[in-house]
Amino acid sequence: GNSLIELSIYPNPTSDQIVLNAEQSGRELHYLLFDMNGKLIHQSPVNGHETIIDMRSYSPGEYHITISEFNEKIESFKIIKH
């Protein structure tokens, strides 16, 4: 199960970048970043405990980040970008 993974995202709201903190070991995690229209704008593996996601080039608004493992959704976060 996914209970072995502790996920947090900060700062939120953000103006430049967010840090995805994943207390996990040896998991094949990916994150997917969606804009307010539900369009996938970025996806990348989650590397180690801290993954930096650069938001500077994105317009202000509401975004969603989904954490998945083997295409199975584990958790979702709503991010506010100023």
Side-chain angles (χ1 to χ4, degrees):
N2 55 32
S3 56
L4 302 173
I5 305 174
E6 288 287 323
L7 296 167
S8 60
I9 280 188
Y10 58 90
N12 188 16
T14 186
S15 56
D16 51 5
Q17 67 182 25
I18 50 177
V19 178
L20 169 59
N21 197 293
E23 294 296 328
Q24 50 93 15
S25 60
R27 306 291 291 258
E28 293 284 329
L29 301 181
H30 285 74
Y31 73 84
L32 299 89
L33 179 63
F34 298 91
D35 67 13
M36 52 212 90
N37 301 314
K39 178 178 169 227
L40 177 61
I41 52 178
H42 190 68
Q43 60 179 325
S44 186
V46 174
N47 297 315
H49 288 309
E50 285 195 344
T51 302
I52 308 288
I53 306 172
D54 188 353
M55 303 283 289
R56 282 173 299 188
S57 60
Y58 302 133
S59 304
E62 184 179 299
Y63 294 82
H64 287 87
I65 290 186
T66 295
I67 313 298
S68 67
E69 183 177 32
F70 305 120
N71 295 321
E72 182 184 346
K73 181 170 154 183
I74 292 176
E75 197 159 342
S76 210
F77 296 92
K78 183 169 80 174
I79 306 291
I80 303 298
K81 162 77 158 64
H82 287 324

